[in-house]
Amino acid sequence: MSLTTAPSRDPQNRNTLGFTTPSRKAPGRGPMSRTTSTRIGDWLVFALLSAGAIVMVAPLAWMVSTSLKTKTEVFALPPVWIPEVPQWDTYVRMWQDSSILTGFQNSFIVAATVTVLGTITCSMAAFAIAKMRLPFSNVIFIGLLTGIMIPYPTLMIPQFVMFSRIGWVDTLLPLIVPAIFGNILVIFFLRQYLENVPNSIIEAAKIDGANYWQIFWRLIFPIIRPAVAAQFILWFMAIWNDYLAPILYLNTPGRQTLQVVIANMNVQYATQRDYPLIMGASFIALLPILAIFLIFQRQIIESVALTGTKG
C-alpha cells in the first residue's frame, strides 16, 4: 500500500497537510479599494474648490468685461458677458479725462513709504520686546495689544484737529508720518515669530562682541525675513486699499490717492451712466494688489501658519 496521497481537490482548497487555505477573491470584486476611494475624494474636493473659484473669479471677470462694453451692453438683458466689439478706448479716456495717474502716484508714494519704513521700525520693536531684557517688556506688549481695541472713529476728530493745527491737512503727511512708527499687528506677528528663535544664538553673538544693532541686522533680520516679507505684502495691500484716512485729509484732486479718485469718478460718471470707465479704473487699481498676491502668496500663507505657533 502506497504511503503517498494525492493532493486534495476539495473545493475548500485543502493543502497536502489537511489545512484549509483561504480562497483568493477575483480582482475587481468586493469592497472599493483604498486607492479608488482616495481618488474619488480628491475629485470631489477638486470639484468643490473649482466651483468656489468660479464664484470668486466671476465678479473680477464681470468687472473686466464691463470695462470693455458700450453703455448699451452694460444694461442689456440678458447680460452680455463678452462684448461684441471691445471698447479699448475706455482706458484711453480714463487716463485723459480723470486724475487716475496722479492718484496712482500718490497711492504708491504713501504705500511704499509706510511699508518700507514702518516694517523696519516694527521689526526693531518686535526684536526689542521679544529678545532684549527690557523692564516691563510684557506690560509694554500688552499695552500695544490693548491699543487695537480702540476704534479708529474715536481718534479721527482729535487727529484731524492736531494735524490741521500744524498745517498737514491736504498733504500726504498725515497718511505717512503716524504709520512709519509701526503697526501693532505687524509687531505682534513678528514678535510671535521671534519666539521660535533660541536665545542661545543671541548670547553667542554677545560673547563674540556684537552689540544689539549688529545682532539685529546681521543675525535676527535674516532669520525673520520670510515673516517680514509676508507682513510687508499684507500691509502694502491694506495701505493701498485705504479709503477712510485719505478722504478725511485730502481735498485737492492732485493730492488724492487712487481710491479717493475712483470714488469721485463714481459720483461724477455714474450720473452719466458711464460705468465702463468706472470699472476700468477699478481694474487698474486692482492690478498691483493682484500681482503682489500672486507672486508672494506662498510667503503670506507660510507667515500666517508659522507666526501663530511656537517651536
Side-chain angles (χ1 to χ4, degrees):
M1 182 176 181
S2 178
L3 297 178
T4 60
T5 58
S8 175
R9 300 191 181 189
D10 192 346
Q12 295 183 352
N13 193 17
R14 296 177 181 273
N15 56 18
T16 56
L17 297 179
F19 296 104
T20 303
T21 58
S23 59
R24 296 181 180 180
K25 295 182 179 180
R29 299 179 181 178
M32 185 182 300
S33 64
R34 182 177 300 178
T35 304
T36 305
S37 61
T38 302
R39 289 179 179 177
I40 294 176
D42 293 341
W43 278 108
L44 291 176
V45 173
F46 177 78
L48 181 62
L49 293 178
S50 300
I54 293 174
V55 173
M56 298 297 292
V57 174
L60 177 61
W62 180 259
M63 179 177 62
V64 177
S65 175
T66 304
S67 66
L68 299 175
K69 297 177 184 178
T70 61
K71 295 181 182 180
T72 304
E73 291 176 333
V74 171
F75 300 98
L77 290 176
V80 178
W81 278 95
I82 301 176
E84 184 177 355
V85 179
Q87 305 295 316
W88 299 105
D89 63 325
T90 301
Y91 291 91
V92 178
R93 292 190 299 111
M94 179 184 62
W95 295 106
Q96 294 177 351
D97 301 341
S98 63
S99 302
I100 290 293
L101 182 59
T102 57
F104 197 97
Q105 293 174 348
N106 293 332
S107 292
F108 183 79
I109 291 173
V110 173
T113 305
V114 168
T115 50
V116 171
L117 298 180
T119 300
I120 295 175
T121 56
C122 288
S123 303
M124 297 173 65
F127 169 68
I129 294 174
K131 296 303 178 183
M132 294 180 65
R133 297 178 180 177
L134 298 175
F136 308 107
S137 60
N138 291 330
V139 176
I140 296 173
F141 182 65
I142 294 174
L144 290 175
L145 295 180
T146 306
I148 304 177
M149 304 178 186
I150 302 176
Y152 180 70
T154 61
L155 304 176
M156 288 191 304
I157 296 177
Q159 282 186 352
F160 184 85
V161 172
M162 178 181 65
F163 291 139
S164 63
R165 289 180 178 177
I166 60 179
W168 283 8
V169 175
D170 203 19
T171 65
L172 299 179
L173 293 177
L175 307 178
I176 297 176
V177 175
I180 63 176
F181 291 101
N183 183 289
I184 299 175
L185 290 177
V186 178
I187 295 174
F188 169 76
F189 279 112
L190 294 181
R191 188 256 186 186
Q192 294 301 109
Y193 194 92
L194 281 170
E195 290 293 327
N196 300 324
V197 179
N199 295 326
S200 58
I201 298 178
I202 300 176
E203 297 299 330
K206 289 181 181 179
I207 294 175
D208 291 338
N211 54 35
Y212 279 112
W213 185 256
Q214 295 173 332
I215 292 174
F216 174 75
W217 283 111
R218 298 183 180 180
L219 184 63
I220 297 300
F221 195 80
I223 293 176
I224 65 174
R225 187 176 297 171
V228 170
Q231 296 304 316
F232 175 89
I233 297 164
L234 294 175
W235 199 5
F236 185 91
M237 294 168 60
I239 297 298
W240 183 270
N241 292 325
D242 187 22
Y243 173 76
L244 181 58
I247 197 62
L248 290 175
Y249 296 109
L250 304 177
N251 301 319
T252 305
R255 297 177 180 176
Q256 293 175 343
T257 58
L258 185 58
Q259 304 302 328
V260 180
V261 171
I262 294 176
N264 293 337
M265 289 177 59
N266 192 16
V267 175
Q268 178 181 358
Y269 293 101
T271 57
Q272 304 175 12
R273 305 170 68 89
D274 197 352
Y275 289 101
L277 191 66
I278 299 173
M279 291 299 177
S282 301
F283 177 69
I284 292 297
L286 180 65
L287 286 179
I289 302 301
L290 184 62
I292 289 176
F293 183 80
L294 291 177
I295 295 173
F296 299 102
Q297 58 179 332
R298 181 177 179 181
Q299 286 81 352
I300 296 174
I301 297 173
E302 288 182 356
S303 175
V304 173
L306 293 177
T307 52
T309 60
K310 292 184 179 181

